[in-house]
Amino acid sequence: MPRVVDHEQRRAELSLAVWQVVGERGLDGLTLRAVAEAGGCTTGRVAHYFADKEALLAHARDIMHRRMTERIEALPVGVGPRERLRAVLLEGLPLDAERLLLTTVWAYFLIAAHSSAVLRAEHDRRHASWIERLTGLLRAAYPRPPADLDLRVRGLVALLDGLAVYAVTTPHTYPPELLVRTLDNHLDLLGVMP
C-alpha cells in the first residue's frame, strides 16, 4: 500500500526551512538548494512544491500571516479596547525569537515584492486585511471615533513597520523594551482610552 503524504505538512516544513535560510543568509541566499539543505531533503522535493524563489517566499509569507492570525485569535477577549488593540499591535513587533524571524522574512518579502507583481499583489491583500483589523480595533478604542480614523490607523501601521524594520536591522538600537515603550507612547498620543 502506498504511503500517504501530507502535502500541506511538507509545505509547512519547507516554509520553516525558508525562514531559517532567510534568517541566516538573507534574500540572496534563498535558493532551492539552500532550502533543501535546511529542510533535510532533496532539491527535487523542494522543486516539487515550489517552482522558484518567488513561490517559496509567497508560501512562507502565507504561513507567517496564518501564524500571526492564530496568535492574535488566541489573545484574551475579555479585556478593554485599548488592551486588545495594544496586544494585537505587539504581535506585529519582533519581541521574541519567533517574531524576530517572522519579521525578518516579512522585511525580505517586502523587498522582493518591489519587483514582483505576484508578491506585490499578495502584500496588498495582506496589508488591506491588517488595515481592516486595526481600523476596527482603533474605532472600538474611542468613545466616538475621530474623523481622521483612517489616517491614525495608517500612522500606527507606519510606526509598527518602521519599528519592525529597525528592530531587524539594528536590534541593539531598537531592543524589545524600547519597541513596547514607543508603541505605548504612541497610543497615549493618539488619545486611546484605557
Side-chain angles (χ1 to χ4, degrees), residues 61 65 68 72 85 88-89 123-140 148-161:
R61 174 65 175 91
H65 181 79
M68 186 174 179
I72 288 171
L85 172 64
V88 169
L89 293 169
H123 168 71
D124 289 346
R125 187 170 68 84
R126 300 298 186 182
H127 185 73
S129 171
W130 184 232
I131 292 288
E132 183 180 338
R133 180 185 294 271
L134 293 184
T135 299
L137 290 168
L138 190 58
R139 180 181 291 116
D148 65 347
L149 183 67
D150 185 62
L151 187 60
R152 292 177 189 221
V153 169
R154 302 295 173 148
L156 263 176
V157 170
L159 174 73
L160 283 179
D161 289 357

Coordinates of all heavy atoms in Angstrom, one line a residue, residues 61 65 68 72 85 88-89 123-140 148-161:
R61 N 5.3 33.6 3.4 CA 4.6 34.8 3.8 C 3.2 34.4 4.2 O 2.6 34.9 5.2 CB 4.5 35.9 2.7 CG 3.7 37.1 2.9 CD 4.2 37.9 4.1 NE 3.4 39.1 4.3 CZ 2.4 39.2 5.1 NH1 1.9 38.2 5.8 NH2 1.8 40.4 5.2
H65 N 1.5 34.9 7.9 CA 0.3 35.5 8.1 C -0.6 34.6 9.0 O -1.3 35.1 9.9 CB -0.4 35.9 6.8 CG -1.7 36.6 7.0 ND1 -1.8 37.9 7.3 CD2 -3.0 36.2 6.9 CE1 -3.0 38.3 7.4 NE2 -3.8 37.2 7.2
M68 N 0.6 34.6 12.6 CA 0.2 35.8 13.3 C -1.3 35.9 13.6 O -1.7 36.2 14.7 CB 0.7 37.0 12.5 CG 0.5 38.3 13.2 SD 1.2 39.7 12.3 CE 0.8 41.0 13.3
I72 N -3.0 36.1 17.3 CA -4.0 37.2 17.6 C -5.3 36.6 18.1 O -5.9 37.1 19.1 CB -4.2 38.1 16.4 CG1 -2.9 39.0 16.2 CG2 -5.4 39.0 16.6 CD1 -2.9 39.8 14.9
L85 N -6.3 46.3 21.5 CA -5.6 46.9 20.4 C -4.1 46.8 20.7 O -3.3 46.4 19.8 CB -5.9 48.4 20.3 CG -5.1 49.3 19.4 CD1 -5.3 48.8 17.9 CD2 -5.5 50.7 19.5
V88 N -2.8 43.2 20.1 CA -2.7 42.9 18.6 C -1.5 43.6 18.0 O -0.7 43.0 17.3 CB -4.0 43.3 17.9 CG1 -3.8 43.2 16.4 CG2 -5.1 42.4 18.4
L89 N -1.3 44.9 18.4 CA -0.1 45.6 17.8 C 1.2 45.0 18.2 O 2.1 45.0 17.4 CB -0.2 47.1 18.3 CG -1.4 47.9 17.7 CD1 -1.5 49.2 18.4 CD2 -1.2 48.1 16.2
H123 N 1.1 41.0 -1.0 CA 1.4 42.0 0.0 C 0.1 43.0 0.1 O -0.3 43.3 1.2 CB 2.6 42.9 -0.2 CG 2.7 44.1 0.7 ND1 3.0 43.9 2.0 CD2 2.5 45.4 0.4 CE1 2.9 45.1 2.6 NE2 2.7 46.0 1.6
D124 N -0.4 43.4 -1.0 CA -1.5 44.4 -1.0 C -2.7 43.7 -0.3 O -3.4 44.4 0.5 CB -1.9 44.8 -2.4 CG -0.9 45.7 -3.0 OD1 0.0 46.3 -2.3 OD2 -0.9 45.9 -4.2
R125 N -2.9 42.4 -0.5 CA -4.1 41.7 0.1 C -3.9 41.6 1.6 O -4.8 41.9 2.3 CB -4.2 40.4 -0.6 CG -5.4 39.6 -0.2 CD -5.6 38.3 -1.1 NE -4.5 37.3 -0.9 CZ -4.6 36.4 0.1 NH1 -5.6 36.4 0.9 NH2 -3.6 35.5 0.2
R126 N -2.7 41.2 2.0 CA -2.4 41.1 3.4 C -2.5 42.4 4.2 O -3.0 42.5 5.3 CB -1.1 40.4 3.7 CG -1.0 39.0 3.1 CD -2.0 38.0 3.7 NE -1.7 36.7 3.2 CZ -2.5 35.7 3.5 NH1 -3.5 35.8 4.3 NH2 -2.2 34.5 3.0
H127 N -1.9 43.4 3.5 CA -1.9 44.7 4.1 C -3.3 45.3 4.3 O -3.6 45.9 5.3 CB -1.1 45.7 3.2 CG -0.9 47.0 3.8 ND1 0.0 47.3 4.8 CD2 -1.4 48.2 3.5 CE1 -0.1 48.6 5.1 NE2 -0.9 49.2 4.3
A128 N -4.1 45.1 3.3 CA -5.5 45.5 3.4 C -6.2 44.9 4.6 O -7.0 45.5 5.3 CB -6.3 45.3 2.1
S129 N -6.0 43.6 4.8 CA -6.5 42.8 5.9 C -6.1 43.4 7.2 O -6.9 43.5 8.2 CB -6.2 41.3 5.8 OG -6.5 40.6 6.9
W130 N -4.8 43.7 7.3 CA -4.2 44.3 8.5 C -4.8 45.7 8.8 O -5.2 46.0 10.0 CB -2.7 44.4 8.4 CG -1.9 44.8 9.5 CD1 -1.0 45.8 9.5 CD2 -1.8 44.3 10.9 NE1 -0.4 46.0 10.7 CE2 -0.9 45.1 11.6 CE3 -2.5 43.3 11.5 CZ2 -0.6 44.8 12.9 CZ3 -2.2 43.1 12.8 CH2 -1.3 43.8 13.5
I131 N -5.0 46.5 7.8 CA -5.6 47.8 8.0 C -7.0 47.6 8.5 O -7.5 48.4 9.4 CB -5.6 48.6 6.6 CG1 -4.1 49.0 6.2 CG2 -6.5 49.8 6.7 CD1 -3.5 50.0 7.0
E132 N -7.7 46.7 7.9 CA -9.1 46.5 8.3 C -9.2 46.1 9.8 O -10.1 46.6 10.5 CB -9.8 45.4 7.4 CG -11.2 45.1 7.7 CD -11.8 44.1 6.8 OE1 -11.3 43.9 5.7 OE2 -12.8 43.5 7.1
R133 N -8.4 45.1 10.2 CA -8.3 44.7 11.6 C -8.0 45.8 12.5 O -8.7 46.0 13.5 CB -7.3 43.6 11.8 CG -7.3 43.0 13.2 CD -6.2 42.0 13.4 NE -6.3 40.8 12.6 CZ -7.0 39.7 13.1 NH1 -7.6 39.7 14.3 NH2 -7.1 38.7 12.3
L134 N -7.0 46.6 12.2 CA -6.6 47.7 13.1 C -7.7 48.8 13.1 O -7.9 49.5 14.1 CB -5.2 48.3 12.7 CG -4.1 47.3 12.9 CD1 -2.8 48.0 12.6 CD2 -4.0 46.8 14.3
T135 N -8.3 49.0 12.0 CA -9.4 50.1 11.9 C -10.5 49.7 12.9 O -10.9 50.6 13.7 CB -9.9 50.2 10.5 OG1 -8.9 50.6 9.7 CG2 -11.1 51.2 10.5
G136 N -10.9 48.5 12.9 CA -12.0 48.0 13.9 C -11.5 48.2 15.3 O -12.3 48.6 16.2
L137 N -10.3 47.8 15.6 CA -9.8 47.8 17.0 C -9.6 49.3 17.4 O -9.9 49.6 18.6 CB -8.4 47.1 17.0 CG -8.5 45.6 16.9 CD1 -7.2 45.0 16.7 CD2 -9.2 45.0 18.1
L138 N -9.1 50.1 16.5 CA -8.9 51.5 16.9 C -10.2 52.2 17.1 O -10.4 53.0 18.0 CB -8.0 52.2 15.9 CG -7.5 53.6 16.3 CD1 -6.7 53.6 17.7 CD2 -6.6 54.3 15.3
R139 N -11.2 51.9 16.2 CA -12.5 52.5 16.3 C -13.1 52.2 17.7 O -13.7 53.0 18.4 CB -13.4 52.0 15.2 CG -14.8 52.6 15.3 CD -15.7 52.1 14.2 NE -15.3 52.6 12.9 CZ -14.8 51.9 11.9 NH1 -14.7 50.6 12.0 NH2 -14.5 52.5 10.7
A140 N -13.0 50.9 18.1 CA -13.5 50.5 19.4 C -12.8 51.1 20.6 O -13.4 51.2 21.7 CB -13.4 49.0 19.5
D148 N -10.5 61.5 11.5 CA -9.3 61.1 10.9 C -8.9 59.7 11.2 O -7.7 59.4 11.3 CB -8.2 62.1 11.1 CG -7.8 62.1 12.6 OD1 -8.5 61.6 13.4 OD2 -6.7 62.7 12.8
L149 N -9.8 58.8 11.5 CA -9.5 57.4 12.0 C -8.6 56.7 11.0 O -7.6 56.1 11.4 CB -10.8 56.6 12.2 CG -10.6 55.2 12.7 CD1 -10.1 55.3 14.2 CD2 -11.9 54.5 12.7
D150 N -8.9 56.8 9.7 CA -8.1 56.1 8.7 C -6.6 56.6 8.8 O -5.7 55.8 8.7 CB -8.6 56.3 7.3 CG -7.9 55.5 6.3 OD1 -7.8 54.2 6.4 OD2 -7.3 56.1 5.4
L151 N -6.4 57.9 8.9 CA -5.1 58.5 9.0 C -4.4 58.0 10.2 O -3.2 57.6 10.2 CB -5.2 60.0 9.0 CG -3.9 60.7 8.9 CD1 -3.1 60.4 7.6 CD2 -4.1 62.2 9.0
R152 N -5.1 57.8 11.3 CA -4.5 57.3 12.6 C -4.1 55.9 12.4 O -3.0 55.5 12.9 CB -5.5 57.5 13.7 CG -5.7 59.0 14.1 CD -6.7 59.1 15.2 NE -7.0 60.5 15.4 CZ -7.2 61.1 16.6 NH1 -7.1 60.4 17.7 NH2 -7.5 62.4 16.6
V153 N -4.9 55.1 11.7 CA -4.6 53.7 11.5 C -3.3 53.6 10.6 O -2.4 52.8 10.9 CB -5.8 52.9 10.8 CG1 -5.3 51.5 10.4 CG2 -6.9 52.8 11.8
R154 N -3.3 54.4 9.6 CA -2.1 54.4 8.7 C -0.8 54.8 9.4 O 0.2 54.2 9.2 CB -2.3 55.3 7.5 CG -3.5 55.0 6.6 CD -3.4 53.7 5.9 NE -4.7 53.3 5.3 CZ -4.7 52.6 4.2 NH1 -3.6 52.2 3.6 NH2 -5.9 52.4 3.6
G155 N -1.0 55.8 10.3 CA 0.2 56.2 11.2 C 0.6 55.0 12.1 O 1.8 54.8 12.3
L156 N -0.3 54.3 12.7 CA 0.0 53.2 13.5 C 0.8 52.1 12.7 O 1.8 51.6 13.2 CB -1.2 52.5 14.1 CG -1.7 52.9 15.5 CD1 -3.0 52.3 15.8 CD2 -0.6 52.6 16.5
V157 N 0.3 51.8 11.5 CA 0.9 50.8 10.6 C 2.3 51.3 10.3 O 3.3 50.5 10.3 CB 0.1 50.5 9.4 CG1 0.9 49.7 8.4 CG2 -1.2 49.8 9.8
A158 N 2.5 52.6 9.9 CA 3.8 53.1 9.6 C 4.8 53.0 10.8 O 5.9 52.6 10.6 CB 3.7 54.5 9.1
L159 N 4.2 53.3 12.0 CA 5.1 53.2 13.2 C 5.5 51.8 13.4 O 6.7 51.5 13.6 CB 4.3 53.7 14.4 CG 5.0 53.5 15.7 CD1 6.1 54.5 15.9 CD2 4.0 53.6 16.9
L160 N 4.6 50.8 13.4 CA 4.9 49.4 13.6 C 5.9 48.9 12.5 O 6.9 48.3 12.9 CB 3.7 48.6 13.5 CG 2.7 48.6 14.7 CD1 1.5 47.7 14.4 CD2 3.5 48.1 16.0
D161 N 5.7 49.2 11.3 CA 6.6 48.8 10.2 C 8.0 49.4 10.4 O 8.9 48.7 10.2 CB 6.0 49.1 8.8 CG 4.8 48.3 8.5 OD1 4.4 47.4 9.2 OD2 4.2 48.6 7.4

